[in-house]
Amino acid sequence: DVQLQASGGGLVQPGGSLRLSCEASGFTFNAYHMSWFRQVPGKGFEWVSTLFSSGGYARYAGFVKGRFTISRDNSKNQLYLQMNNLEPEDTAVYYCVRGDNALGRRGQGTLVTVSS
């Protein structure tokens, strides 16, 4: 059974940092590209970043502007998203997704709130 559990969200002030983690199980993690998406209540599911299966190539949405870094540890079946210089507009529920599109499997997300 595929499971993806995101964690690490919380309340942070503008300009602060958070590191999200995603624990994956039930599939061959190192065979899949992995992505982070986010969703603001009432809005669509928005792509944030994708990291290729080997960990050697990453893509980011334009709004990231160099603030986020996606990484993975294939030996631990873990995906990460280091988020720096957070802005109120980054407030959302963040999900890790198997694959590189919104149709991929996803688990429960983790809420990130950026507010002073």
Side-chain angles (χ1 to χ4, degrees), residues 2 46 54-55 60 63 71 76 86:
V2 173
E46 182 176 44
S54 65
Y60 297 92
F63 62 79
S71 61
K76 296 180 180 179
L86 283 160

Side-chain angles (χ1 to χ4, degrees), residues 16-64:
S17 298
L18 283 174
R19 187 190 193 214
L20 306 185
S21 299
C22 173
E23 183 172 353
S25 62
F27 64 100
T28 304
F29 181 74
N30 61 15
Y32 286 86
H33 302 342
M34 294 294 298
S35 301
W36 289 98
F37 281 75
R38 69 186 187 182
Q39 188 165 30
V40 176
K43 295 189 177 181
F45 203 52
E46 182 176 44
W47 173 70
V48 177
S49 180
T50 295
L51 183 60
F52 279 29
S53 57
S54 65
Y57 181 71
R59 296 171 57 231
Y60 297 92
F63 62 79
V64 169

Side-chain angles (χ1 to χ4, degrees), residues 79-97:
L79 179 73
Y80 308 101
L81 185 68
Q82 176 67 43
M83 304 188 296
N84 299 325
N85 196 21
L86 283 160
E87 304 169 352
E89 294 74 21
D90 296 316
T91 295
V93 178
Y94 284 72
Y95 298 87
C96 63
V97 174

